[in-house]
C-alpha cells in the first residue's frame, strides 16, 4: 500500500511497532513530527558540541611538549571535526539544513555541551579532558549506538570507537605525568579538580528536572536517564582515579555496599544553568572563534558551490 492511501493512524502504529521491536527507523519511513524535531535538536546539539569541542584542546596543539604528543593531539582534534560532520549529515537525512544549523549555533539559538565553556590552563588539561570528558561522552554515547533512528545509531558506532581512543590517550598522558615530577603530579591534580564537576554536569540536569527524558525514552532515542548515566560514569571513574593516584574533589564520594554504587555529592546546578545560558568562563570566546572560522571559510563554500554548478551545467550540456 502506498503512503498516500495509508491512513495516518496505521503509519503511526507501524512506527510504534518498529520502535518496540528494536528495529530502526530509516530516513524514508514515516515518523511523528515531534520525533523528527527532537532528533534534529539532539543531533544538531551533539554536532555543535563536537565542533566547538575542538577549541579547548586545539589551544594546545602549537604548544604540545613533544612531536609524539602533538601528533596524538592533532589526530584527536581532527576526529572531533569528523564526528561533527557525520552528525550534521545525520541531521540532513531528517530534512535539516546544515547552513541553517550553523547559523543557529553562531547566533546562539542552539546550544552545545556546557563543558566546552571552561578554559584549558595547562597541558594536564589535555589529559584530563581525554580521561573525564571523553569518558563521560562514551557513557552518554555507547547507548546511542542502539538509538531508534538508523543513521544516528550507525554514526555513533564509529564515533564511539574513536572516543575510546581519546579516552585512552588522555589516561596514558596522565599516567606518564604522574610518573614524572612533583610539579607534573600537581598539574594533574589541579586539572582533575577543575574538570570533575563540569564532567558530571555533562549528563544534564537531574532526572526530576529533565522534562524531555520520558518522551525520548518512549521513542527509544534515549536509552537511560541522566542520573543513571551519571552514576555509571562515577562508578567507572573512581577506580581509574585510584589507579592514577589522584583525588576526586568530592568529600561525599564513597562506596555504598547496599546500593552497589558510589555515593557522590551534588554538582552546583546553579553554575550549570549559568554556563548553559551563556555566562560561563569561555562562552563568548568559543562562539566568537566559531563565527570567525565560519566567516573565514566563506570563500571555500562559494568556490565549492560555483564548481558544483559548473559541473552540473557541463553534465547537462553533455547529455
Ligand atoms: Fe567526539
Ligand atoms: Fe572525543
Amino acid at each position: 500500500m502506498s503512503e498516500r492511501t495509508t491512513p495516518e493512524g496505521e503509519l503511526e502504529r507501524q512506527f510504534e511497532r518498529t520502535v518496540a521491536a528494536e528495529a530502526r527507523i530509516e530516513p524514508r519511513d514515516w515518523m511523528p513530527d515531534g520525533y523528527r524535531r527532537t532528533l534534529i535538536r539532539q543531533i544538531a546539539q551533539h554536532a555543535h558540541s563536537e565542533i566547538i569541542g575542538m577549541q579547548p584542546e586545539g589551544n594546545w596543539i602549537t604548544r604540545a611538549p613533544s612531536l609524539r604528543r602533538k601528533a596524538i593531539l592533532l589526530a584527536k582534534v581532527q576526529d572531533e571535526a569528523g564526528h561533527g560532520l557525520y552528525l550534521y549529515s545525520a541531521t540532513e537525512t531528517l530534512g535539516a539544513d546544515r547552513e541553517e544549523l550553523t547559523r543557529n549555533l553562531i547566533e546562539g539559538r542552539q546550544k552545545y555541551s556546557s563543558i566546552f565553556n571552561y578554559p584549558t590552563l595547562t597541558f594536564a588539561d589535555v589529559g584530563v579532558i581525554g580521561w573525564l570528558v571523553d569518558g563521560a561522552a562514551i557513557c552518554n554515547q555507547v547507548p546511542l549506538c542502539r538509538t531508534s533512528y538508523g543513521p544516528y545509531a550507525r554514526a555513533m558506532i564509529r564515533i564511539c570507537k574513536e572516543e575510546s581512543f581519546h579516552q585512552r590517550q588522555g589516561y596514558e598522558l596522565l599516567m606518564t605525568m604522574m610518573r614524572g615530577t612533583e610539579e607534573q603530579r600537581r598539574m594533574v591534580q589541579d586539572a582533575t579538580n577543575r574538570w570533575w564537576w563540569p564532567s558530571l554536569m555533562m549528563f544534564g540536569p537531574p532526572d526530576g528536572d529533565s522534562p524531555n527524558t520520558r518522551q525520548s525514552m518512549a521513542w527509544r532515542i534515549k536509552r537511560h536517564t541522566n542520573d543513571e548515566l551519571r552514576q555509571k560514569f562515577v562508578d567507572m571513574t573512581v577506580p581509574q582515579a585510584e589507579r592514577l593516584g589522584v583525588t576526586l574533589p568530592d568529600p561525599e564520594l564513597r562506596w555504598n555496599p547496599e546500593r552497589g554504587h558510589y555515593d557522590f555529592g551534588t554538582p552546583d546546578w546553579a553554575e550549570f544553568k549559568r554556563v548553559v545560558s551563556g555566562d560561563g568562563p569561555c562562552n563568548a570566546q568559543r562562539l566568537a572563534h566559531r563565527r570567525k572560522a565560519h566567516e573565514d571559510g566563506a570563500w571555500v563554500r562559494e568556490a565549492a558551490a560555483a564548481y558544483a554548478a559548473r559541473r552540473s551545467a557541463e553534465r547537462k550540456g553533455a547529455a
Side-chain angles (χ1 to χ4, degrees), residues 54-66 69-70 73-74 77 119-127 129 187 194-195:
M54 290 193 284
Q55 292 185 37
E57 289 168 287
N59 179 35
W60 281 94
I61 290 173
T62 55
R63 292 172 293 162
S66 68
R69 292 294 169 196
K70 190 196 280 267
L73 186 54
L74 264 174
V77 172
T120 41
L121 303 182
T122 72
F123 201 74
D125 290 42
V126 169
I129 288 178
M187 281 165 70
R194 286 181 288 106
W195 289 94

Side-chain angles (χ1 to χ4, degrees), residues 50 57 76 79-80 83 133-134 137 159 162-163 166-167:
E50 301 281 357
E57 289 168 287
K76 198 252 183 192
D79 282 353
E80 307 299 9
H83 299 172
V133 176
D134 289 276
I159 289 175
E162 294 179 346
E163 296 301 359
H166 298 170
Q167 209 253 0

